[in-house]
Amino acid sequence: MEELIDVLDENGIKTGEILPRSEIHKKGLWHRIIVVAIVNEKNQVLIQQRSYNKDKNAGLWDISVTGHITTGQDSLSAAKREINEEVSVNIGYRVDIKDFRYMFSYRKEEKVSEEHMDRQFYDFFILREEDLEIGNIKVQESEVEQVKFVDMSELNSMIENKEIVERDAIYKELMNYLFRV
């Protein structure tokens, strides 16, 4: 069953209209997604390689978790859901709102194809997780090819070589955060 998503106006306010995800992209309507960088105790970032079957950025590496906020959800509950779906890191009840560090929000428009226009508000969070091992992560195969941890140097290299989804504002803020801690 396809996700139902709240349509937003150009200021990020819900319009009251709810549509399937595919229709939102086809019509190029504003909506909200979450982006979460999961950082381990070594200050490494979990990244995922997007499935080759995705309609956007197939096969590229991406930040730990991204996803649409479905109708009736707030950003934090969507973040927890997407973490559990995409990388099967069952964060369960031990993770509280205070564990997610809200970094910032921004909006971006991008024409993906004639049939797909992204007009999205992004809410970016960082989640610090200790004792997270790659071997304990089970990916959602329809979404993710593989995952790995990278340090700041490798992440910078991937950005420069365009091996990772373009999210310049997020990477800049993430690098500032990693440098400070």
Side-chain angles (χ1 to χ4, degrees):
M1 188 168 137
E2 191 173 5
E3 295 173 290
L4 294 177
I5 297 175
D6 292 312
V7 176
L8 307 177
D9 67 16
E10 64 277 357
N11 298 309
I13 308 299
K14 292 180 184 179
T15 65
E17 189 175 11
I18 299 169
L19 293 172
R21 177 179 169 173
S22 61
E23 196 170 335
I24 283 184
H25 287 292
K26 187 175 183 176
K27 292 180 175 182
L29 300 171
W30 287 103
H31 58 288
R32 190 171 300 278
I33 71 168
I34 55 90
V35 180
V36 180
I38 299 173
V39 178
N40 69 13
E41 67 276 2
K42 297 174 188 169
N43 234 23
Q44 298 170 318
V45 180
L46 182 70
I47 61 171
Q48 61 160 288
Q49 184 181 26
R50 293 173 59 85
S51 169
Y52 289 103
N53 298 322
K54 299 293 279 181
D55 59 346
K56 181 179 173 189
N57 299 312
L60 283 178
W61 288 91
D62 201 354
I63 201 81
S64 309
V65 176
T66 64
H68 288 78
I69 298 174
T70 57
T71 298
Q73 282 191 316
D74 60 29
S75 295
L76 287 172
S77 59
K80 288 175 74 169
R81 174 183 50 82
E82 289 291 343
I83 289 169
N84 287 321
E85 285 177 8
E86 290 186 8
V87 294
S88 289
V89 178
N90 190 353
I91 56 179
Y93 295 106
R94 62 186 176 80
V95 171
D96 196 291
I97 289 174
K98 66 179 173 34
D99 297 320
F100 285 89
R101 181 179 180 134
Y102 171 76
M103 301 306 287
F104 70 103
S105 296
Y106 71 102
R107 69 184 208 166
K108 181 178 176 187
E109 296 181 70
E110 178 185 6
K111 185 175 184 176
V112 177
S113 70
E114 290 300 321
E115 296 294 316
H116 185 146
M117 176 67 167
D118 276 348
R119 283 197 173 101
Q120 298 176 144
F121 286 87
Y122 294 81
D123 291 343
F124 175 47
F125 297 90
I126 292 177
L127 175 64
R128 294 200 70 92
E129 281 290 298
E130 294 186 11
D131 302 321
L132 183 58
E133 303 283 333
I134 291 295
N136 296 335
I137 297 173
K138 184 176 183 333
V139 300
Q140 183 181 17
E141 293 177 7
S142 63
E143 299 273 338
V144 179
E145 294 290 326
Q146 61 181 321
V147 293
K148 67 179 180 178
F149 281 105
V150 295
D151 58 24
M152 286 194 319
S153 174
E154 187 174 356
L155 184 60
N156 269 325
S157 176
M158 294 177 84
I159 294 166
E160 288 173 14
N161 295 326
K162 300 192 184 308
E163 299 172 286
I164 194 162
V165 175
E166 187 278 315
R167 300 186 191 282
D168 290 342
I170 285 173
Y171 300 136
K172 181 179 179 183
E173 188 67 23
L174 179 59
M175 294 294 186
N176 287 336
Y177 170 81
L178 293 173
F179 185 73
R180 289 190 311 258
V181 290

